[in-house]
Amino acid sequence: MKTERISLLTILITFLFLNLSHAQSDQRPVEIDDYFNLKSVSSPVISPDGNWIAYTVSQTDFDEGSSETRIWMVSKDGSVKLPMTAEGYSAGNPQWTPDGNYLTFSASRNDSKTQVWKLDMRGGEAQQVTDIEQGINSFEWSPDGDRLLLMIRDKEEDESDDPKPYVIDRLQFKRDYAGYLDRRRVHIYTYTPGDSTATQLTFGDYDHSSATWSPDGSKIAFVSNRTEEPDGNQNDDIWIVDAEIGEEEGGLIQVTQNPGSDSSPAWSPDGREIAYRTSVEPEKIWYATTHLAITKADGSGPERLITKELDRNVGSPKFSDNGNQIWFTFEDAGERHLVTVNRNGTGFERVVTGQVSVRDFDLDDSEGVVLMGRFNEPHEVYSFDDGSVMQLTHENREYLANLIAPDVEEIHFNSEDGTEIHGFLVKPIGYEEGRRYPTLLWIHGGPVAQFEHSYRFEPQLFAAQGYAVVMVNPRGSSGYGQEFSEVLFADWGNKDFEDVMAGVDHAIEMGVADSDQLGVGGWSYGGILTNYVITQTDRFDGAISGASETLYRSLYGHDHYQLYWELELGLPWETPEKWERISPFNDVANVTTPTLWMGGSDDWNVPILSSEQMYQAMKRLGIETQLVVYPGEHHGIRTPIFQKDRFERYLNWFGQYVKGE
């Protein structure tokens, strides 16, 4: 009998091993079409009783040429998952009513403008709550659940279908996706369900954002730039408006006086203080580290910085239920953590930490949920308690189960001047020690951003095609302190160029990269730094520059960054030498690398004009080049067929010029 049991056990183990081997052999490298099976999870919110978490899931429908967002709900132990909105329309911004009886959201249904809808937790169809003629931008329930705070943009004065010219009189007169800017502003309203109209609380030629109720429902904190010329500075402040009488009756208080940007207000539970995100050096524009600050809600001050010594960007502050701590996200050297600090600035603690990217969170006393991802795992919802996390959603489980993930190694190396630089080396699928591989230097956007432990499709795709991918966080990147970031101020294409080149050299020294098969590319700032690379070195066999800028003075008033450029480089007619010194177009005659130029026809963030200029110059110089313009697209390419086309062109261009296929 003993012998028989051993034989049966042996057979069972063999069977399981064979099945496991078969399952692993079914995995394959990622392909372009897999991109459209990825699901994007966001906006987790905990129900008032703590038993459910609502969240959104977005997915592309390639055949329909669009994406759709639905709201789902998962139990706090992850055992039950329920769809809350149906297919056929997109829904977002899930919020529970304070009593937990309804799950509410914003959506445009039945050809209407975006409105607030509610779902009865006992069952039934969604019911429309608001009926605002021009629709709403966002909403939030009052603490007692009787009223809604609504953010509503002013109506057009002339709503006829007749063609009309753009009449422009603003200093900041355009913005990507928004188009030409007029004087219609976003204001704060309150609305009682069942009423025929909403009550306007804020007025004037100012925009308002980030509005949130005080704990007792009597006031609303918000963000607005109410200087004489809001388009001419970054002086967003925290304000409070009385929820009953509004600002026209004198119910307006300015809470912060900082000349920089203050944002993300969060009330303390007793309503006496407000925590917020602040930038105290506006002259350093986006290179300045954002800090956590706290001040009295009555505007009497003082404004206290409580993370100054941490020298890292913070986000999304929230008070703990007892008001003793403030929770926030914390960006640090390729990672993004959930942390807490005491309201006096002591007791800094990392709660959800490690090689992760925490993008959002919600709290339920000392427990909560985070939206968290890793390098090879898209963001999902996790619960956390006493530092331990448990995955609640698995929206991309099937997607990941079919694919082979590349090996990723964090790399540290010294740049030309001895500065330590950090990044990632993604190894090709099937990597073998001792063999060198064609290698791509892939550069992030920003410039004030970072490659971090979060899922990105491009390196997955490149690794699947046999490339090693070098992903460097050069100076100018965030996550390493303000001094590291502001090196780039008015000096683009210098230290950042040295840093990414040192990353390529490091990959060669590691025995991974093939120095005879190198490519470089990126989008936005990734394309801009690509332009500096190809105008300063001939080491690369192929380049792809997406949505980049090259001749900066020609873009003054054409892109939507004129304020930032003025602060960094001065007025172009007063300091032309600064603008020309950093313009890679002036060195286009040095280019020998075959380069593909790409962008959207309607991009006002980084206009296609620059790609056209570089393409024209390279064509005139007789260098291998091509220009691809996606009609109707802005800075991000959103049409699925164009997204697929872009990936195909990436592979074809690098395949031809880097691999020599």
Side-chain angles (χ1 to χ4, degrees):
M1 181 65 73
K2 182 177 179 181
T3 304
E4 183 181 0
R5 279 201 292 263
I6 293 174
S7 299
L8 288 172
L9 181 60
T10 303
I11 292 171
L12 179 60
I13 292 173
T14 304
F15 176 78
L16 290 172
F17 176 78
L18 289 173
N19 274 274
L20 179 61
S21 299
H22 177 70
Q24 290 174 336
S25 67
D26 286 345
Q27 289 185 316
R28 55 173 176 77
V30 71
E31 299 171 355
I32 291 174
D33 286 344
D34 292 315
Y35 178 77
F36 304 102
N37 295 323
L38 265 172
K39 297 179 181 179
S40 177
V41 179
S42 63
S43 306
V45 286
I46 304 172
S47 63
D49 63 9
N51 291 327
W52 296 94
I53 298 92
Y55 61 99
T56 63
V57 180
S58 301
Q59 187 172 13
T60 299
D61 186 326
F62 185 83
D63 294 332
E64 291 294 325
S66 62
S67 64
E68 187 173 280
T69 302
R70 296 177 65 191
I71 295 175
W72 291 75
M73 189 169 72
V74 64
S75 58
K76 71 175 183 179
D77 62 0
S79 62
V80 180
K81 170 188 163 186
L82 299 171
M84 301 306 293
T85 60
E87 296 179 347
Y89 69 95
S90 284
N93 192 18
Q95 295 185 37
W96 302 90
T97 54
D99 59 13
N101 291 334
Y102 294 90
L103 176 60
T104 59
F105 57 92
S106 57
S108 175
R109 298 181 62 187
N110 306 324
D111 298 322
S112 71
K113 300 287 187 179
T114 300
Q115 306 291 345
V116 179
W117 298 75
K118 66 179 181 179
L119 282 165
D120 193 321
M121 295 306 294
R122 295 167 297 184
E125 293 293 321
Q127 304 169 45
Q128 187 171 334
V129 178
T130 62
D131 188 16
I132 305 300
E133 183 179 350
Q134 65 268 46
I136 67 156
N137 286 27
S138 62
F139 74 97
E140 182 180 293
W141 285 98
S142 62
D144 60 10
D146 290 340
R147 289 183 293 172
L148 282 166
L149 175 165
L150 301 177
M151 305 300 291
I152 303 175
R153 190 183 186 204
D154 295 333
K155 291 188 294 187
E156 286 190 71
E157 293 183 5
D158 181 3
E159 297 183 343
S160 69
D161 294 330
D162 297 333
K164 298 179 286 291
Y166 297 109
V167 180
I168 299 165
D169 64 358
R170 286 181 55 176
L171 179 62
Q172 177 72 49
F173 66 91
K174 67 194 307 188
R175 186 168 293 116
D176 198 25
Y177 292 101
Y180 288 107
L181 302 178
D182 54 27
R183 293 286 179 173
R184 288 182 296 153
R185 299 294 190 172
V186 176
H187 288 290
I188 302 171
Y189 292 71
T190 56
Y191 174 77
T192 301
D195 284 358
S196 58
T197 59
T199 301
Q200 186 171 348
L201 298 182
T202 61
F203 300 84
D205 191 17
Y206 316 109
D207 282 311
H208 306 83
S209 62
S210 304
T212 185
W213 292 95
S214 63
D216 65 2
S218 66
K219 297 178 176 60
I220 295 170
F222 64 93
V223 174
S224 185
N225 184 334
R226 289 183 163 231
T227 60
E228 185 175 345
E229 178 48 89
D231 291 339
N233 59 70
Q234 304 171 80
N235 191 10
D236 289 322
D237 281 307
I238 309 295
W239 299 75
I240 289 176
V241 64
D242 190 294
E244 299 298 333
I245 63 175
E247 73 166 287
E248 287 200 327
E249 300 297 325
L252 186 68
I253 299 173
Q254 183 173 353
V255 177
T256 62
Q257 305 287 337
N258 167 42
S261 179
D262 303 319
S263 59
S264 303
W267 293 87
S268 62
D270 59 13
R272 295 180 179 178
E273 293 182 310
I274 288 181
Y276 58 99
R277 185 175 183 251
T278 186
S279 176
V280 295
E281 297 181 80
E283 70 279 6
K284 301 293 178 63
I285 52 177
W286 43 34
Y287 305 108
T289 297
T290 58
H291 300 288
L292 182 65
I294 190 170
T295 191
K296 293 180 180 179
D298 61 6
S300 63
E303 302 167 43
R304 296 184 291 112
L305 290 180
I306 59 176
T307 61
K308 178 71 172 177
E309 300 305 317
L310 296 178
D311 195 24
R312 293 293 187 271
N313 289 326
V314 306
S316 306
K318 294 179 183 178
F319 273 93
S320 61
D321 287 348
N322 61 16
N324 293 332
Q325 289 85 34
I326 303 170
W327 298 68
F328 56 98
T329 58
F330 183 77
E331 187 185 54
D332 188 20
E335 300 171 353
R336 195 182 300 262
H337 301 155
L338 178 64
V339 304
T340 65
V341 68
N342 294 331
R343 64 196 302 165
N344 64 2
T346 64
F348 174 77
E349 180 184 0
R350 300 175 193 250
V351 180
V352 178
T353 185
Q355 295 181 336
V356 297
S357 168
V358 174
R359 290 288 180 178
D360 198 1
F361 68 98
D362 196 19
L363 300 176
D364 180 19
D365 197 14
S366 62
E367 304 175 5
V369 294
V370 290
L371 184 69
M372 187 176 76
R374 297 180 174 86
F375 201 98
N376 283 327
E377 299 174 18
H379 282 73
E380 299 277 2
V381 179
Y382 293 74
S383 64
F384 67 87
D385 183 16
D386 292 330
S388 62
V389 297
M390 179 178 72
Q391 188 169 350
L392 299 181
T393 67
H394 302 268
E395 298 295 337
N396 288 289
R397 179 175 0 205
E398 183 177 348
Y399 170 87
L400 295 173
N402 294 324
L403 303 175
I404 303 172
D407 291 332
V408 182
E409 182 176 340
E410 287 196 62
I411 52 177
H412 298 265
F413 51 90
N414 289 335
S415 190
E416 185 175 318
D417 62 2
T419 300
E420 182 176 333
I421 305 298
H422 170 241
F424 301 88
L425 176 62
V426 184
K427 296 179 181 178
I429 301 298
Y431 172 75
E432 298 175 4
E433 194 79 33
R435 177 184 167 191
R436 292 188 179 272
Y437 291 86
T439 299
L440 304 179
L441 170 62
W442 197 248
I443 306 171
H444 68 62
V448 188
Q450 65 169 3
F451 282 131
E452 60 189 44
H453 287 275
S454 62
Y455 190 89
R456 304 177 72 94
F457 188 75
E458 289 94 338
Q460 302 280 331
L461 181 63
F462 295 145
Q465 294 291 317
Y467 295 99
V469 187
V470 178
M471 302 167 65
V472 177
N473 286 329
R475 276 169 283 187
S477 300
S478 57
Y480 304 88
Q482 183 168 317
E483 182 179 350
F484 187 93
S485 183
E486 68 176 288
V487 166
L488 206 63
F489 191 97
D491 197 23
W492 294 37
N494 183 10
K495 295 302 181 183
D496 49 348
F497 166 75
E498 294 176 2
D499 296 347
V500 295
M501 293 305 297
V504 172
D505 290 337
H506 183 69
I508 293 171
E509 293 168 4
M510 291 174 65
V512 176
D514 185 344
S515 60
D516 294 325
Q517 289 185 300
L518 296 177
V520 59
W523 200 266
S524 193
Y525 168 73
I528 292 171
L529 185 47
T530 294
N531 300 343
Y532 290 118
V533 169
I534 63 175
T535 54
Q536 295 186 64
T537 180
D538 61 0
R539 291 179 59 185
F540 293 88
D541 303 290
I544 296 174
S545 181
S548 67
E549 297 196 346
T550 60
L551 186 56
Y552 295 111
R553 279 209 295 169
S554 70
L555 292 165
Y556 180 72
H558 186 55
D559 70 16
H560 67 201
Y561 289 117
Q562 45 269 51
L563 173 61
Y564 293 89
W565 289 126
E566 290 172 5
L567 292 171
E568 191 162 357
L569 300 173
L571 295 171
W573 56 90
E574 293 181 352
T575 55
E577 69 285 352
K578 291 184 178 180
W579 293 70
E580 295 300 329
R581 184 177 65 83
I582 69 166
S583 294
F585 181 86
N586 295 326
D587 298 313
V588 67
N590 297 335
V591 178
T592 61
T593 305
T595 305
L596 173 63
W597 304 93
M598 310 180 82
S601 66
D602 297 353
D603 186 350
W604 285 352
N605 183 321
V606 183
I608 194 64
L609 171 64
S610 288
S611 298
E612 294 171 337
Q613 292 169 331
M614 288 296 282
Y615 166 77
Q616 186 69 65
M618 287 186 64
K619 201 70 177 174
R620 176 61 67 186
L621 291 166
I623 306 166
E624 287 294 327
T625 189
Q626 191 175 76
L627 173 65
V628 176
V629 182
Y630 293 108
E633 294 289 344
H634 295 267
H635 193 55
I637 306 302
R638 294 183 175 180
T639 304
I641 195 170
F642 290 157
Q643 292 173 330
K644 182 174 182 179
D645 181 87
R646 180 170 59 166
F647 289 137
E648 289 174 341
R649 293 183 187 278
Y650 284 173
L651 298 186
N652 290 339
W653 194 265
F654 284 140
Q656 179 177 355
Y657 293 105
V658 177
K659 286 185 176 179
E661 294 174 344

